[in-house]
Amino acid sequence: MIWQLIYLVTFVASLYALVEALRTPASAFELMDKQTKKLWVVLTGVATGLSGIAVFTGRGVFVIMCLVVTLIYLLDVRPAVKGAGNGSNEGPYGPW
């Protein structure tokens, strides 16, 4: 039961990371020196797929790896690239 919950949480977080990676402009990744958009879309896509399989089959051999990739993206890459490269004059508290 606890593993199914872990699989489900990993799947939802991975899916969120994939959507965020797809929405972020490619230039923001290079600007912030966080590899490429293509690499992060592939990594989060694979993590989403493998964790989704784990949710539906109950076998999560690679779920820990999926969780690590997802956490790296959400806790390190996403905050760095969020808002970078969008060409606006937005500061942390609004326009300036």
Side-chain angles (χ1 to χ4, degrees), residues 4-5 11 17 31 33 42 46 49 58 62 66 75 77-78 86 94:
Q4 279 299 113
L5 183 62
F11 174 70
L31 181 67
D33 198 27
V42 168
V46 168
F62 299 108
C66 297
L75 298 177
V77 177
R78 183 178 177 269
N86 60 6

Side-chain angles (χ1 to χ4, degrees), residues 44-90:
T44 56
V46 168
T48 301
L50 290 175
S51 59
I53 290 170
V55 167
F56 296 114
T57 65
R59 296 193 171 145
V61 177
F62 299 108
V63 169
I64 301 301
M65 178 191 66
C66 297
L67 186 59
V68 169
V69 167
T70 301
L71 289 176
I72 289 171
Y73 182 81
L74 291 177
L75 298 177
D76 180 46
V77 177
R78 183 178 177 269
V81 299
K82 185 178 179 186
N86 60 6
S88 69
N89 60 354
E90 290 287 322

Side-chain angles (χ1 to χ4, degrees), residues 10-28:
T10 303
F11 174 70
V12 170
S14 298
L15 184 61
Y16 176 72
L18 176 61
V19 169
E20 286 297 313
L22 288 170
R23 291 179 51 202
T24 304
S27 60

